[in-house]
């Protein structure tokens, strides 16, 4: 695989190799690829999906059905950042989201009945 420069060419790392139904162990980087080898790769979903365009070199057996759901929701990023900023601001200023009447009632122990002696 070193000869193919798989990682630099495709942006993916090979973490498993199966040949003739047997999993190969050891240094996969030094193993030459042969016709019919099955590769287990890890990396960005977009890079894995790009292997489909190299149909003369690879046959992509399948992607999980959730692959589109796993993509980051960039449209929600601004909302998440806003919420994070509000939480940090509240933490730094030692404020809570409780109304002041509830907040003072929690710390006020004078209203708690005591036992008669």
């Amino acid at each position: 695989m070193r000869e193919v420069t798989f990682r630099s060419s495709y942006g993916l790392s090979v973490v498993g190799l199966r040949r003739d139904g047997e999993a190969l162990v050891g240094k996969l980087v030094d193993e030459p690829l042969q016709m019919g080898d099955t590769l287990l790769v890890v990396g960005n979903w977009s890079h894995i999906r790009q292997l489909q365009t190299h149909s003369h070199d690879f046959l992509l057996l399948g992607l999980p059905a959730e692959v589109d759901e796993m993509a980051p929701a960039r449209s929600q990023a601004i909302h998440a950042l806003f919420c994070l900023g509000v939480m940090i601001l509240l933490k730094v200023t030692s404020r809570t989201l409780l109304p002041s009447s509830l907040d003072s009632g929690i710390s006020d122990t004078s209203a708690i009945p005591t036992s008669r002696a």
Side-chain angles (χ1 to χ4, degrees), residues 1-76:
M1 275 187 258
R2 186 178 309 203
E3 298 165 0
V4 179
T5 61
F6 193 88
R7 185 179 302 175
S8 61
S9 297
Y10 302 105
L12 300 167
S13 297
V14 176
V15 295
L17 175 65
R18 188 183 323 177
R19 179 174 294 146
D20 298 325
E22 297 287 325
L24 298 181
V25 294
K27 283 191 163 185
L28 298 179
V29 71
D30 295 328
E31 190 66 39
L33 290 178
Q34 296 180 6
M35 180 72 90
D37 284 350
T38 302
L39 304 176
L40 177 62
V41 297
V42 294
N44 191 308
W45 286 115
S46 63
H47 292 143
I48 295 173
R49 195 181 295 253
Q50 282 181 340
L51 286 179
Q52 288 177 322
T53 64
H54 299 281
S55 60
H56 62 281
D57 294 325
F58 300 102
L59 172 63
L60 189 61
L61 296 179
L63 291 170
E66 300 86 12
V67 71
D68 293 324
E69 295 173 13
M70 297 171 110
R74 286 180 170 61
S75 63
Q76 299 298 320

